[in-house]
Amino acid sequence: MDGLLEFKTEDGVRVVVEGAEDEDGARLVSRGDGPAQAARTFEGSLEGVRAAAESALRVFRDGSLRPDSVELEFGVKLSAEAGAIIAKGSAEGHLIVRLSWSPEPGPEGPARPRGPEATGRP
C-alpha cells in the first residue's frame, strides 16, 4: 500500500489520499504520525489534468465529427511533488474517449443517423 498524502484545498479543507508510488520505487515519508504533506493545493495539483481534458475536448468537439456528446475518462494518481498524474490504466490506456450521436429526425419520418456510421466509415 502506498503512503497517505495530505492536500489542502484553496478553502483550507484537508483532503487525505493514498499517494502514488514513484516509478523508481520511492515511497512517501511523513514527519511524525500523520500523512505526508503535498507541495501544492488540491486544486493546483489537478490543474494539469484539467488542461489535458480541455485540450482533448477541443480536439473531439471541433472538426468534422461533431458528436452530440463527448465523454473523457482519465485515471489520475496524486503525488506529493508532481501533483496529479494521468495514470496508466489496466488496459494499457491513459485516456478513454466515448463519442455519441443522436439520430436527427427527418421531415419524412424515421431518424437519419449522423456521425461516422452515416458515411459507412469506421
Side-chain angles (χ1 to χ4, degrees), residues 62-85:
D62 298 342
S64 62
L65 290 178
R66 303 222 184 266
D68 292 326
S69 69
V70 178
E71 182 180 327
L72 302 174
E73 182 178 325
F74 290 91
V76 177
K77 290 183 180 181
L78 295 168
S79 163
E81 295 300 318
I85 304 158

Side-chain angles (χ1 to χ4, degrees), residues 1-120:
M1 177 172 150
D2 292 331
L4 296 179
L5 178 57
E6 181 179 316
F7 289 88
K8 294 281 186 183
T9 67
E10 292 173 356
D11 296 333
V13 177
R14 180 177 173 234
V15 178
V16 179
V17 299
E18 185 177 350
E21 185 174 306
D22 291 340
E23 299 255 334
D24 60 5
R27 296 176 87 47
L28 294 170
V29 178
S30 64
R31 295 183 192 124
D33 296 334
Q37 301 295 310
R40 304 182 203 181
T41 64
F42 188 68
E43 294 88 348
S45 294
L46 293 172
E47 267 306 304
V49 176
R50 185 187 62 76
E54 286 177 346
S55 293
L57 283 172
R58 271 194 305 276
V59 167
F60 293 110
R61 283 186 176 156
D62 298 342
S64 62
L65 290 178
R66 303 222 184 266
D68 292 326
S69 69
V70 178
E71 182 180 327
L72 302 174
E73 182 178 325
F74 290 91
V76 177
K77 290 183 180 181
L78 295 168
S79 163
E81 295 300 318
I85 304 158
I86 297 175
K88 182 176 181 178
S90 60
E92 299 299 319
H94 298 268
L95 171 67
I96 297 171
V97 178
R98 289 182 185 87
L99 307 176
S100 64
W101 291 264
S102 299
E104 281 185 14
E108 60 277 336
R112 287 182 259 159
R114 291 178 23 184
E117 66 276 4
T119 62

